[in-house]
Amino acid sequence: MLDDTDELILSTLSRNAKQDPLEVWDFLKGYGQDIPIEEIESRINRLEDEGIISGYTISVDTKKIRRRIIRVVLATFKTSQHLPKRLEGLKKYLADAPFVLFSGRTRGGYDWICIQAFPSEEMADEESDIYRNLFGDIIQSYQVYDFMPVKDPSFHSLTYTAKEYKKFLDEWIPPFLPR
């Protein structure tokens, strides 16, 4: 089970996985955690051994590379006895696809949402045609939107802590507004 310190370590490493333990120590100190660097190293090793940290990756400044087309796909499915089996094929297709950022089943007005990134509009349109041809038998409605992000994707949004959330609010919400 993760404690507050483990969560803070994951949070700071998700922003920059190349930090040395001293930088992690400095980050923790800012949240009232004063633990020895050896313990930080030990905790990181344990998180790796337990598979909570399963690898390290890079973060790319997307403003310095060729612009990608970010596409949001919203789909609803037809009711069918074959739907569960066809969904397995859809899941495999989307799990294997190199262009899929996020994909998953939803509750609400749509059954499935998929976020995709392509080097060109032509590739995005081609994949859209292929997707509808492959899975058209289960698709009731299919909507596609091109998305212009104002913030680069960040996995940090999946690991930030309640303490970081509170600190953010303290910086942005005026003291006279209730929380």
Side-chain angles (χ1 to χ4, degrees), residues 30 34 38 41 66 78 91 113 115 121 129 153 173:
D34 189 12
E38 296 79 22
E41 291 170 332
R66 190 168 40 137
K78 298 175 188 173
K91 287 176 191 175
I113 297 176
I115 313 295
E121 213 171 304
D129 292 341
I173 295 181

Side-chain angles (χ1 to χ4, degrees), residues 68-158:
R68 298 276 174 169
I69 303 300
I70 307 296
R71 189 148 283 179
V72 178
V73 177
L74 307 170
T76 57
F77 300 128
K78 298 175 188 173
T79 303
S80 157
Q81 65 184 13
H82 303 291
L83 183 60
K85 184 156 180 63
R86 294 292 287 134
L87 283 179
E88 291 307 312
L90 175 70
K91 287 176 191 175
K92 177 160 180 25
Y93 173 81
L94 295 171
D96 292 349
F99 49 83
V100 173
L101 294 168
F102 280 105
S103 181
R105 193 88 191 247
T106 64
R107 292 185 181 95
Y110 297 99
D111 295 318
W112 202 273
I113 297 176
C114 186
I115 313 295
Q116 306 168 339
F118 297 95
S120 70
E121 213 171 304
E122 292 77 24
M123 289 175 71
D125 292 342
E126 177 184 49
E127 192 284 328
S128 203
D129 292 341
I130 291 168
Y131 181 94
R132 286 181 292 162
N133 278 315
L134 287 173
F135 303 104
D137 61 317
I138 60 170
I139 295 173
Q140 179 174 325
S141 72
Y142 179 85
Q143 296 179 29
V144 173
Y145 299 93
D146 285 354
F147 176 69
M148 287 27 147
V150 295
K151 178 183 176 182
D152 285 340
S154 167
F155 286 106
H156 179 255
S157 63
L158 301 174

Side-chain angles (χ1 to χ4, degrees), residues 54-73:
S54 59
Y56 293 88
T57 187
I58 64 169
S59 177
V60 177
D61 184 347
T62 58
K63 293 173 194 77
K64 295 181 179 178
I65 61 173
R66 190 168 40 137
R67 178 172 113 39
R68 298 276 174 169
I69 303 300
I70 307 296
R71 189 148 283 179
V72 178
V73 177

